[in-house]
Amino acid sequence: KSATRKLKKLSRRYASPEKPVPLEAYDQTLRACVDERLHGARASEPARKILEEMANSGYEIPADLANEAVQNCLGDGPNGTHDGCGGIDTALAMLSAVESSPNGGEKL
């Protein structure tokens, strides 16, 4: 949670069109979300937003990281949720973000 807060702070306070948020910042924050298995999918929304921001910034999204994020947001609950978090809608939004990134269609 603190990693996503720091990324948000970096984006709002220091990023500009001339100096965008570096790929490493997105990558490490997304890895922090995924390494904890998205905290039972509670971190799936921040992970989705990170993937969308990476795609909008024109960064290539690592296939292994994207696949792990999508898999971890799916659960056994209604609509594939974990205690009401994550689910099929979030997973599809993640896939859409990956497909819209450079070379994204080749990865899936």
Side-chain angles (χ1 to χ4, degrees):
K1 196 170 186 177
S2 67
T4 56
R5 286 183 186 152
K6 289 177 184 176
L7 179 63
K8 191 175 187 179
K9 182 178 181 180
L10 176 68
S11 298
R12 288 191 175 162
R13 292 190 181 175
Y14 304 107
S16 67
E18 300 82 34
K19 189 176 179 184
V21 175
L23 174 61
E24 293 79 25
Y26 285 121
D27 185 64
Q28 292 303 315
T29 306
L30 188 58
R31 286 188 191 283
C33 291
V34 171
D35 285 346
E36 296 294 324
R37 298 187 48 87
L38 299 178
H39 299 285
R42 278 178 262 133
S44 61
E45 286 299 321
R48 177 193 57 81
K49 289 177 185 176
I50 292 167
L51 288 170
E52 289 174 351
E53 288 177 16
M54 288 175 76
N56 290 338
S57 297
Y59 292 132
E60 191 169 322
I61 300 170
D64 62 328
L65 193 56
N67 286 332
E68 195 169 348
V70 170
Q71 288 174 349
N72 288 338
C73 80
L74 295 172
D76 297 332
N79 297 321
T81 60
H82 287 279
D83 296 326
C85 299
I88 294 170
D89 293 335
T90 306
L92 290 173
M94 288 180 178
L95 287 174
S96 176
V98 172
E99 287 177 347
S100 68
S101 71
N103 300 322
E106 299 170 5
K107 294 179 182 181
L108 302 175

